[in-house]
Amino acid sequence: MKKISMILLTLLLAFGFTSTAMASNGHGADIDPDPNRSVTFYKGITTIITTEVDVTYDEKVKVKKYTDYFTEKKSSTVSEKKVVVSYKKQYHSSKDLYRKVKIAKTYRVDTITSWDEVTRVDKIVTFKTPIKITTTTVTTIKHRGAPGSNGKFISKDVQKSVDKEYGETVKHVDKKKEVYKKNVETTVKKTLLYVKKTYGKWMKIKR
């Protein structure tokens, strides 16, 4: 009789514990306070779900290159005066005399240079877009027995998802300018301004 009473007491305690556990976890309700970890116990199986969230930052860069040419015709003139001196003999019309004549001719010399001035503009346009990358890893482990009992391992499943959030794109323009000449031509124009003659003394022609 005493032995039967002990068996009944054991069954009652076991039933009471199971009922309490089921009431406390609601047939699989989370019994772990960690917000990133969920532990449920239902029908003799413990399910542990761990969520890890990793946030990193990156940048999307896009580069475009353009080249433009602008041509403008230009010219310049450099002017200077140049004196050319020559000498000759002048003979008297009726006497046996001669004299030296210095002839100084003054010219204006214009050096005209024309060319095509080419401006090359290299433009580099850079677009930068910030990216927020959220990687979520959900690991689900199942084993037999109550939580913490180290029961028989059933399965492990890892699910990973990646979410990309793009920010506002920023545009940056970089310009590089180069100027050079092509089709260069040079011409020289000489204009006589005036002539100055200087006469020497009459001298007798030696025979």
Side-chain angles (χ1 to χ4, degrees):
M1 186 68 181
K2 186 176 182 181
K3 186 175 181 180
I4 294 174
S5 299
M6 290 295 293
I7 293 172
L8 289 173
L9 179 61
T10 304
L11 290 172
L12 287 171
L13 289 173
F15 179 77
F17 173 78
T18 305
S19 300
T20 304
M22 292 176 64
S24 64
N25 61 32
H27 291 280
D30 188 6
I31 57 176
D32 195 313
D34 188 346
N36 296 322
R37 177 182 165 95
S38 171
V39 179
T40 58
F41 180 63
Y42 182 62
K43 291 186 178 181
I45 297 175
T46 295
T47 302
I48 304 171
I49 301 176
T50 305
T51 303
E52 295 181 2
V53 179
D54 182 37
V55 179
T56 58
Y57 296 90
D58 198 359
E59 190 175 53
K60 180 182 178 182
V61 180
K62 186 176 181 181
V63 179
K64 290 185 178 181
K65 295 182 179 181
Y66 306 91
T67 300
D68 293 321
Y69 293 90
F70 304 94
T71 302
E72 182 181 359
K73 290 194 174 292
K74 288 195 172 185
S75 64
S76 67
T77 302
V78 177
S79 299
E80 61 179 349
K81 287 184 179 181
K82 187 175 181 180
V83 179
V84 179
V85 178
S86 62
Y87 296 89
K88 74 173 186 177
K89 289 182 179 180
Q90 182 184 29
Y91 294 93
H92 199 281
S93 58
S94 59
K95 297 181 181 180
D96 199 12
L97 300 173
Y98 79 93
R99 62 182 177 181
K100 291 182 179 181
V101 181
K102 177 184 177 182
I103 303 171
K105 294 182 179 180
T106 301
Y107 296 90
R108 187 184 74 236
V109 180
D110 297 322
T111 302
I112 304 168
T113 304
S114 62
W115 68 91
D116 292 334
E117 185 173 278
V118 181
T119 302
R120 170 177 170 166
V121 180
D122 293 317
K123 185 164 62 174
I124 300 175
V125 183
T126 305
F127 301 90
K128 293 184 178 181
T129 306
I131 307 173
K132 179 182 178 182
I133 304 172
T134 303
T135 303
T136 304
T137 304
V138 179
T139 303
T140 302
I141 298 175
K142 293 184 178 183
H143 68 79
R144 296 189 182 279
S149 65
N150 294 323
K152 184 179 178 181
F153 175 80
I154 298 175
S155 64
K156 178 179 180 180
D157 179 65
V158 179
Q159 298 291 332
K160 183 178 289 188
S161 63
V162 179
D163 179 64
K164 294 183 179 181
E165 182 181 346
Y166 293 87
E168 183 178 355
T169 300
V170 178
K171 177 181 177 182
H172 176 73
V173 179
D174 184 27
K175 290 184 179 180
K176 182 181 179 183
K177 185 185 291 186
E178 179 187 2
V179 180
Y180 59 91
K181 296 179 181 180
K182 61 182 293 188
N183 301 326
V184 179
E185 295 181 357
T186 301
T187 57
V188 178
K189 181 181 178 182
K190 186 164 68 172
T191 304
L192 179 61
L193 298 178
Y194 52 85
V195 179
K196 182 181 179 182
K197 295 182 178 181
T198 305
Y199 298 92
K201 293 182 179 179
W202 288 105
M203 299 177 63
K204 190 172 182 180
I205 299 174
K206 294 180 181 180
R207 300 292 180 180

